[in-house]
Amino acid sequence: MTTKKENRVMVTVIGQDRVGIIAGVATILADAGANILDISQTIMQEEFFAMIMVVDMEGAKLPFDELKITLEEKGKSLGVQIMAQHEDVFKFMHRI
Amino acid sequence: MPMTISNDEILETIRMVQMENLDIRTITMGISLRDCSRTDTESTARAIYDKITKKAENLVKAGEQIEREFGIPIINKRISVTPIALVAESSSDQNYPVIAKALDRAAIEVGVNFIGGYSALVHKGKTKGDSALIESLPEALSTTERVCASVNVATTKAGINMDAVAQMGRIIKATAEATAHQGGLGCAKLVVFCNVPEDNPFMAGAFHGVGEPESVINVGVSGPGVVLNAVRKNPEADFGALASTIKHTAFKITRMGELVGRAASAKLGVPFGIVDLSLAPTPAIGDSVADILEAMGLERCGTHGTTAALALLNDAVKKGGAMASSYVGGLSGAFIPVSEDAGMIAAVEVGALTIDKLEAMTCVCSVGLDMIAVPGDTSAETISAIIADESAIGMINRKTTAVRIIPVPGKKVGDHVEFGGLLGHAPVMQVHPFSAQTFINRGGRIPAPLQALNN
């Protein structure tokens, strides 16, 4: 496993869709110097909006802990739930 | 860069954590205290305190950091140590509670909620250290808060030490009396085992076995809520399909344990031991093993069919989990602690679940009669006989069994006792009124069974 891969995090946004969610999250990530590698979105249970971003933390200026808190606070102001988790959680759970 | 994990998988993980109580139940650091033996208990206690506070200094911090990074709650950070009977035996005096208090202080200092290993292994007989430790249990458990104790009284290889079984009945009674003002809480921190595992991360039975390294990280996973949801989504599935669903779910839960264990091991510079694949319920609604059995189609946990349902569940959890981890160990099976499982409590309250049915259930799942409150006037001999029955099940079936029973002072059948926190609350259950005194008073050992002769 390369070190670069180990520094990727998944940012997930779940909640009611509204204007400004992607912009809000992308701004925080850009300010932190974290690079968005991929974005996708889906509708869960025909009601909830779920956006998933793969983010490279390699060049980030902000430590992961602080970025996570900033994102969570942004989520509160947008009325959605924003989570940032290390990519390994997903890789480990579903793959050997 | 392509996404290697599908959106559905990502959302499934998030749902399991956010909505189905998926968590890591415990990261337990095993610490050898074999180099802490001194010539008196005071100096031994000091050496123990110093070693634990140094070794486990960063345990809680590392655990919290992993929680944040992965977004998976880690409920408990705990410590297990070498059985104290071995460590303290070189002391010329027998003031063992001094050591229990040192363990308690060390646990408070490093911020863990339980420390296990105030233990003795007496399946074939007792040394003077074992005797002193067992005699000190009522005082040790009533004067400390976080210390957990265990005594192994039987193995498949050695048989059952019935003298120790008889003694443990009396010790459990005395411990209940010593903690009467807390509903006999001391007994909730005392487990009597048959075939005790040396790498179990779960309390109250954890200790650091003599074959273990200097220190080690063991992880206990949880997740009854996740399994419950998977079972509920498949109301029409036949048993093969149901077992398969549970296996898939257990695999995912266990992978989280493996991930957290490896991360903690790397952060602390301590070798990774095992993942214990147990389904450990909590008093939280929906985090119940009884609810899973009921979701399989039983009106109430404890009715006819419960043992078969539990056998399927336990086996499927192991099969799924075994694939997910490089090193599986500890108890690894479904736990059925009454007071820690809202569904079990409800089943006892409506009269569906009795101590006899629980005993049958322990034949097909891990551990045994766990967190069972019985009337305060239950005799020591009856408690010993309950321990003897459980030990016999473990001995013959080459599995771990255990008894954690609380004869609640002043309470009778139908009353309730509150232990608080993860230990939950328990309805006081009926025991058989007929005496086993003459049987228990025979003394000696029940010989090792034919199953032991496999060399």
Side-chain angles (χ1 to χ4, degrees), chain B residues 154-292:
Chain B
T155 66
T156 299
K157 279 285 183 191
I160 306 174
N161 180 349
M162 289 298 288
D163 291 328
V165 168
Q167 187 183 15
M168 287 315 295
R170 297 190 293 273
I171 293 290
I172 287 170
K173 288 285 283 181
T175 304
E177 289 303 330
T179 51
H181 60 292
Q182 296 168 296
L185 179 68
C187 298
K189 299 180 286 177
L190 172 58
V191 193
V192 184
F193 273 107
C194 167
N195 288 327
V196 69
E198 301 207 331
D199 52 5
N200 159 31
F202 286 102
M203 295 297 169
F207 67 85
H208 186 73
V210 288
E212 296 285 311
E214 181 64 24
S215 58
V216 71
I217 291 289
N218 295 322
V219 173
V221 297
S222 180
V226 183
V227 175
L228 174 64
N229 216 38
V231 171
R232 278 191 180 149
K233 273 190 207 148
N234 294 278
E236 306 287 315
D238 76 355
F239 290 115
L242 185 63
S244 186
T245 302
I246 297 170
K247 277 195 285 187
H248 280 121
T249 311
F251 173 87
K252 289 168 189 170
I253 296 169
T254 310
R255 287 300 283 168
M256 291 299 93
E258 177 90 359
L259 172 67
V260 166
R262 286 193 204 176
S265 155
K267 269 194 208 302
L268 293 162
V270 168
F272 176 40
I274 54 99
V275 176
D276 187 320
L277 319 169
S278 291
L279 278 186
T282 67
I285 297 297
D287 210 21
S288 151
V289 170
D291 285 359
I292 300 174

Side-chain angles (χ1 to χ4, degrees), chain A residues 8-14 38-40 42 44 50-55 83-91 93-95, chain B residues 2-18 72 252:
Chain A
R8 295 196 327 195
V9 299
M10 299 273 189
V11 175
T12 45
V13 183
I14 295 174
D38 198 348
I39 301 184
S40 66
T42 180
M44 278 202 313
M51 181 179 74
I52 301 163
M53 287 179 166
V54 184
V55 177
M83 282 155 287
Q85 287 159 281
H86 201 280
E87 181 196 40
D88 280 354
V89 174
F90 306 98
K91 287 204 307 207
M93 179 177 270
H94 301 283
R95 305 279 183 270
Chain B
M3 279 224 274
T4 52
I5 308 287
S6 78
N7 286 352
D8 286 349
E9 288 171 326
I10 289 170
L11 296 175
E12 183 189 6
T13 304
I14 287 171
R15 194 192 63 232
M16 285 162 84
V17 175
Q18 298 286 326
I72 302 256
K252 289 168 189 170

Side-chain angles (χ1 to χ4, degrees), chain B residues 398-417:
Chain B
R398 302 186 195 91
K399 72 184 286 293
T400 304
T401 48
V403 174
R404 184 160 49 142
I405 193 167
I406 305 108
V408 189
K411 298 270 183 179
K412 54 186 193 313
V413 175
D415 288 348
H416 261 83
V417 57

Side-chain angles (χ1 to χ4, degrees), chain B residues 23-149:
Chain B
D23 53 48
I24 302 298
R25 176 53 61 80
T26 180
I27 298 183
T28 304
M29 185 181 210
I31 302 172
S32 167
L33 298 181
R34 277 155 62 178
D35 55 357
C36 295
S37 296
R38 301 289 184 270
T39 51
D40 62 280
T41 50
E42 289 281 353
S43 342
T44 303
R46 259 198 308 279
I48 287 173
Y49 177 87
D50 290 346
K51 181 157 187 186
I52 293 170
T53 49
K54 185 156 173 283
K55 282 268 177 196
E57 200 181 1
N58 295 318
L59 174 64
V60 171
K61 203 170 77 188
E64 286 169 353
Q65 206 178 345
I66 293 166
E67 260 180 290
R68 285 195 300 274
E69 250 170 52
F70 296 144
I72 302 256
I74 300 168
I75 308 300
N76 300 300
K77 293 92 187 169
R78 291 169 169 173
I79 293 171
S80 63
V81 297
T82 309
I84 292 299
L86 303 177
V87 184
E89 190 149 19
S90 64
S91 306
S92 52
D93 62 295
Q94 299 201 329
N95 191 12
Y96 285 23
V98 168
I99 296 174
K101 283 169 195 150
L103 290 172
D104 208 35
R105 281 199 310 277
I108 291 166
E109 171 66 27
V110 300
V112 296
N113 59 359
F114 280 123
I115 183 163
Y118 197 76
S119 305
L121 310 173
V122 298
H123 34 274
K124 210 157 182 186
K126 286 184 293 186
T127 64
K128 72 175 173 57
D130 296 328
S131 296
L133 183 121
I134 292 173
E135 289 298 337
S136 77
L137 285 169
E139 185 184 343
L141 291 170
S142 60
T143 54
T144 60
E145 195 189 317
R146 307 187 186 197
V147 175
C148 291

